[in-house]
């Protein structure tokens, strides 16, 4: 009778494990932010907010743990009697939780830090950040590569809810991209290299759709398009759904070594 609920245990385990990693990651970023803030105060230079720093760095972090999920967690769960289906469902739900927790915690810490610095009159000049990657619109390869680092961005001070949701959607997309790469190489070996292209396409689609709807700079072929935010989000979710289906097919009968 408990079999259908195994994925909930996987969800909890995946959320807690990945959140511990994320918490340590955010803690390191916080320490770096404090050091950079002190440096900015003494030198009169501009300083990015903690939220902005976390926004940029979390993309790579989620990409990496997405790869780890397929390579390390799947064999672990299967060796302990968990079905591949429960692993997939649990990982998906648990990671959505992590993708939401990171921007929420980043926003709270960033706001509290700014308030404290204002109270003691030590707030450095804040450097504006719009998330624009600045890539050459004629160079698709450059856009793909740089979009892994810089993604569509909404300023926290402009719209808290939208800013957090865009942040969460960004990092979840990168996690799924990493998950795809890890699953493909685990299942297909060297042929899994094709997944890197698919992962870049997923990232590019997410970047393009959200950039169009948020009014950010886009390649010339997309400048005339006008897509509401809700439709862009639906489009990104559809793309994520397709990639998640591919991941499910790759992990469905994957041979794992205990």
């Amino acid at each position: 009778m408990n079999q259908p609920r195994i994925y909930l245990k996987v969800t909890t385990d995946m959320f807690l494990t990945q959140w511990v990693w994320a918490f340590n990651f955010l803690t390191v970023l916080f320490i770096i932010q404090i050091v950079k803030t002190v440096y900015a105060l003494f030198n009169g230079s501009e300083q990015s907010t903690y939220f902005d720093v976390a926004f940029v760095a979390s993309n790579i972090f989620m990409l990496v743990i997405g790869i780890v999920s397929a390579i390390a967690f799947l064999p672990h769960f299967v060796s302990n009697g968990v079905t591949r289906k429960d692993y997939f469902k649990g990982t998906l739900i648990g990671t959505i939780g992590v993708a939401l927790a990171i921007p929420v915690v980043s926003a709270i810490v960033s706001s509290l830090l700014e308030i404290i610095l204002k109270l003691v009159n030590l707030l450095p000049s804040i450097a504006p950040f719009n998330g624009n990657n600045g890539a050459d619109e004629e160079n698709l390869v450059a856009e793909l590569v740089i979009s892994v680092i810089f993604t569509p961005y909404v300023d926290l001070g402009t719209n808290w809810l939208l800013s957090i949701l865009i942040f969460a959607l960004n990092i979840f997309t990168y996690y799924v991209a990493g998950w795809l790469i890890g699953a493909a190489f685990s299942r297909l070996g060297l042929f899994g290299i094709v997944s890197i292209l698919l992962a870049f396409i997923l990232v590019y689609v997410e970047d393009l759709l959200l950039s169009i709807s948020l009014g950010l700079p886009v390649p010339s072929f997309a400048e005339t398009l006008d897509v509401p935010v809700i439709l862009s989000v639906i489009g990104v979710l559809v793309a994520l759904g397709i990639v998640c289906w591919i991941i499910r097919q790759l992990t469905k009968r994957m041979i794992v070594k205990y």
Side-chain angles (χ1 to χ4, degrees), residues 2-231:
N2 293 328
Q3 188 67 21
R5 298 183 181 275
I6 290 179
Y7 78 90
L8 295 178
K9 178 64 167 61
V10 177
T11 297
T12 302
D13 290 346
M14 287 299 292
F15 174 80
L16 291 177
T17 300
Q18 293 182 128
W19 172 244
V20 168
W21 293 353
F23 181 80
N24 292 333
F25 165 74
L26 292 174
T27 300
V28 171
L29 287 185
F30 180 75
I31 294 172
I32 295 174
Q33 181 71 8
I34 294 298
V35 173
K36 291 174 64 178
T37 299
V38 172
Y39 179 83
L41 288 170
F42 278 100
N43 291 272
S45 56
E46 289 188 324
Q47 171 66 35
S48 298
T49 67
Y50 178 76
F51 185 83
D52 293 344
V53 172
F55 176 85
V56 175
S58 294
N59 292 330
I60 302 301
F61 171 75
M62 292 294 278
L63 184 73
V64 171
I65 67 172
I67 295 173
V68 172
S69 173
I71 296 176
F73 286 121
L74 176 57
H76 166 74
F77 283 115
V78 172
S79 66
N80 283 279
V82 176
T83 65
R84 290 163 175 78
K85 182 178 181 181
D86 284 328
Y87 154 77
F88 176 79
K89 291 171 62 177
T91 298
L92 189 62
I93 299 172
T95 301
I96 290 175
V98 174
L100 288 170
I102 289 177
V104 168
V105 171
S106 299
I108 293 173
V109 171
S110 185
S111 298
L112 288 176
L113 182 59
E114 185 173 342
I115 291 172
I116 293 172
L117 290 173
K118 281 183 177 179
L119 287 175
V120 296
N121 198 28
L122 290 176
L123 183 65
S125 177
I126 302 299
F129 177 77
N130 60 15
N132 180 26
N133 59 39
D136 182 359
E137 66 179 23
E138 301 300 327
N139 192 332
L140 180 59
V141 175
E143 286 188 53
L144 288 172
V145 173
I146 298 179
S147 65
V148 174
I149 303 175
F150 297 99
T151 52
Y153 170 85
V154 174
D155 183 69
L156 188 62
T158 302
N159 189 321
W160 245 67
L161 180 59
L162 182 59
S163 179
I164 288 174
L165 290 178
I166 293 297
F167 189 159
L169 189 58
N170 278 336
I171 60 179
F172 182 69
T173 298
Y174 292 112
Y175 183 95
V176 171
W179 197 10
L180 172 66
I181 292 172
F185 275 96
S186 296
R187 175 70 184 274
L188 305 174
L190 290 178
F191 291 104
I193 196 170
V194 176
S195 66
I196 297 177
L197 175 60
L198 293 177
F200 270 121
I201 291 175
L202 172 65
V203 168
Y204 187 68
V205 167
E206 186 255 2
D207 180 89
L208 181 62
L209 287 177
L210 293 182
S211 293
I212 291 173
S213 62
L214 295 174
L216 299 175
V218 293
S220 56
F221 72 86
E223 288 179 348
T224 58
L225 298 178
D226 184 14
V227 183
V229 174
I230 185 63
L231 290 183

